[in-house]
């Protein structure tokens, strides 16, 4: 073990001897440690061992396990910033000699931060401690909800998970408990082999997914889970006609967005985008989209200039 890694482990006080498995994670089989980069097979940097999502009546659980094969694959251990309150977060970084570092949510460090309502909030990816060019990183966590609303309010009444990573993913699994109250659908691109059972889906050996800068993850040709609920208010409004339904939908959406913290960078962009917009709602929406496209490139769509050509 390098001096730097040993210093980090000792400072955390979490460097532990091998024990085969812990109460939170299973034993890592020898085959995992025998994995090597195979560029000719598209295996470079890292291999995602498992990416699992479980939806329950009062929340959800996530499990993410990754084998780092070289320095170029360290980013595979990083997590995007959490949009929700995370509970019961447990993680560990395991080394080939059997020792491991345990860590919690507070031990993750952000690659960038933004000032939100007086507090520094993570903006870039979250980095686990002790990641090297030859290790396994395992993390599991829960997002708590209620039986009335099992998912965070920031998810709104519709949410989608898109699976896949820039690295080969050996096992992707989704499980929905029988008492999860929302409607759901699971689908993927043509030709995707899915092992489907009642309220569960498994995909093996998912190829690496491209991740173009500024692209929308929801538009990738990848397996995805969509969950949604139509509130009683929306159901009542729908019976009154289209105008009533969309007015109620807009009102509910605005109420949900008020609960989302917006950082100083967002506020600055919003002020610039919204200045001197047309009073007509349709023309205002068109102008806002035009201004956004001038500043933010989405690799999945042609820009207005490209369409004109």
């Amino acid at each position: 073990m390098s001096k730097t890694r040993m210093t980090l482990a000792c400072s955390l006080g979490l460097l532990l001897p091998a024990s085969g498995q812990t109460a939170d994670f299973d034993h890592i089989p020898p085959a995992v440690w025998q994995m090597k980069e195979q560029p000719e097979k598209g295996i470079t940097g890292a291999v995602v061992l498992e990416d699992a999502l479980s939806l329950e009546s009062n929340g959800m659980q996530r499990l993410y396990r990754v084998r780092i094969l070289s320095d170029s694959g360290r980013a595979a251990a990083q997590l995007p910033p959490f949009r929700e309150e995370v509970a019961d977060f447990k993680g560990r970084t395991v080394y080939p000699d059997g020792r491991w570092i345990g860590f919690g949510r507070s031990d993750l460090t952000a690659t960038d931060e933004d000032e939100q309502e007086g507090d520094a909030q993570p903006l870039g990816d979250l980095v686990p401690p002790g990641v090297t060019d030859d290790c396994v990183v395992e993390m599991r966590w829960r997002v708590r909800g209620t039986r009335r609303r099992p998912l965070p309010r920031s998810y709104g009444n519709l949410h989608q998970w898109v699976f896949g990573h820039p690295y080969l993913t050996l096992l992707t699994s989704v499980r929905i408990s029988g008492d999860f109250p929302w409607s759901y659908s699971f689908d993927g691109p043509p030709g995707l082999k899915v092992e489907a059972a009642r309220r569960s889906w498994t995909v093996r050996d998912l190829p690496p997914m491209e991740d173009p800068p500024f692209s929308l993850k929801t538009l990738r040709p990848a397996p995805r889970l969509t969950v949604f609920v139509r509130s009683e208010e929306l159901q009542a409004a729908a019976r009154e006609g289209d105008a009533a339904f969309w007015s109620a939908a807009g009102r509910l959406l605005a109420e949900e967005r008020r609960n989302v913290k917006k950082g100083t960078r967002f506020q600055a962009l919003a002020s610039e985008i919204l200045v001197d917009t047309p009073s007509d709602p349709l023309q205002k929406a068109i102008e806002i989209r035009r201004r956004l496209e001038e500043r933010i490139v989405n690799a999945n769509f042609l820009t207005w200039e490209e369409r004109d050509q």
Side-chain angles (χ1 to χ4, degrees), residues 62 82 91 120 130 150 170 180 224 231:
R62 197 72 186 259
F82 292 116
L170 298 184
F180 182 75
R224 67 198 66 221
S231 68

Side-chain angles (χ1 to χ4, degrees), residues 4 14 25 42 57 92 102 196 215 266 274 301:
T4 300
L14 294 172
F25 301 101
S57 63
R92 69 173 184 170
S215 63
F266 176 92
L274 296 176
F301 291 102

Side-chain angles (χ1 to χ4, degrees), residues 13-280:
L14 294 172
L15 186 63
L16 301 174
S19 60
Q21 69 180 53
T22 70
D24 302 301
F25 301 101
D26 294 332
H27 171 73
I28 299 175
V32 171
W33 296 115
Q34 295 168 4
M35 291 180 178
K36 304 296 181 183
E37 288 187 301
Q38 302 180 63
E40 69 281 2
K41 296 183 179 181
I43 302 176
T44 59
V47 172
V48 177
L49 303 174
E50 184 174 3
D51 187 0
L53 171 68
S54 177
L55 300 184
E56 303 167 346
S57 63
N58 59 350
M60 69 179 189
Q61 292 192 59
R62 197 72 186 259
L63 171 65
Y64 182 68
R65 303 172 58 242
V66 60
R67 169 75 165 102
I68 309 300
L69 301 174
S70 68
D71 189 68
S72 65
R74 289 191 186 200
Q78 299 177 8
L79 297 176
F82 292 116
R83 294 173 50 197
E84 61 283 313
E85 291 295 327
V86 172
D88 303 328
F89 186 101
K90 294 181 175 64
R92 69 173 184 170
T93 302
V94 188
Y95 306 109
D97 60 10
R99 287 176 290 181
W100 52 278
I101 294 174
F103 57 89
R105 168 69 180 85
S106 61
D107 297 314
L108 302 177
T109 57
T111 57
D112 194 6
E113 291 185 342
D114 188 20
E115 190 72 18
Q116 295 183 5
E117 300 180 7
D119 295 322
Q121 299 292 329
L123 184 65
D125 287 344
L126 302 176
V127 184
V131 178
T132 69
D133 58 4
D134 186 11
C135 65
V136 170
V137 179
E138 302 176 305
M139 294 173 282
R140 67 165 67 246
W141 63 92
R142 286 180 53 85
V143 175
R144 292 176 180 169
T146 64
R147 290 191 176 274
R148 183 178 181 86
R149 174 170 280 279
L151 298 177
R153 185 166 295 277
S154 61
Y155 283 21
N157 291 326
L158 181 148
H159 189 72
Q160 189 174 81
W161 290 268
V162 180
F163 299 95
H165 303 274
Y167 311 92
L168 171 68
T169 303
L170 298 184
L171 179 63
T172 302
S173 65
V174 174
R175 183 188 67 83
I176 299 179
S177 67
D179 51 1
F180 182 75
W182 288 21
S183 301
Y184 57 87
S185 66
F186 184 91
D187 59 82
L192 180 71
K193 294 183 179 180
V194 180
E195 301 171 17
R198 183 174 175 80
R199 291 177 171 261
S200 68
W201 301 265
T202 301
V203 179
R204 302 182 188 278
D205 299 326
L206 189 62
M209 297 285 176
E210 291 188 25
D211 189 16
F214 308 109
S215 63
L216 291 178
K217 192 174 182 179
T218 53
L219 297 179
R220 294 179 188 170
R224 67 198 66 221
L225 173 70
T226 305
V227 297
F228 56 93
V229 61
R230 179 174 288 185
S231 68
E232 295 179 0
E233 181 177 353
L234 286 180
Q235 294 183 49
R239 291 191 288 268
E240 298 177 14
D242 289 347
F245 173 82
W246 288 112
S247 294
R251 184 173 59 256
L252 290 174
L253 182 62
E255 291 175 355
E256 290 166 356
R257 291 299 179 266
R258 292 192 191 101
N259 296 318
V260 178
K261 289 186 177 181
K262 303 176 180 66
T264 54
R265 303 183 194 185
F266 176 92
Q267 299 288 6
L269 177 62
S271 298
E272 182 182 350
I273 294 296
L274 296 176
V275 65
D276 296 330
T277 51
S279 58
D280 178 76

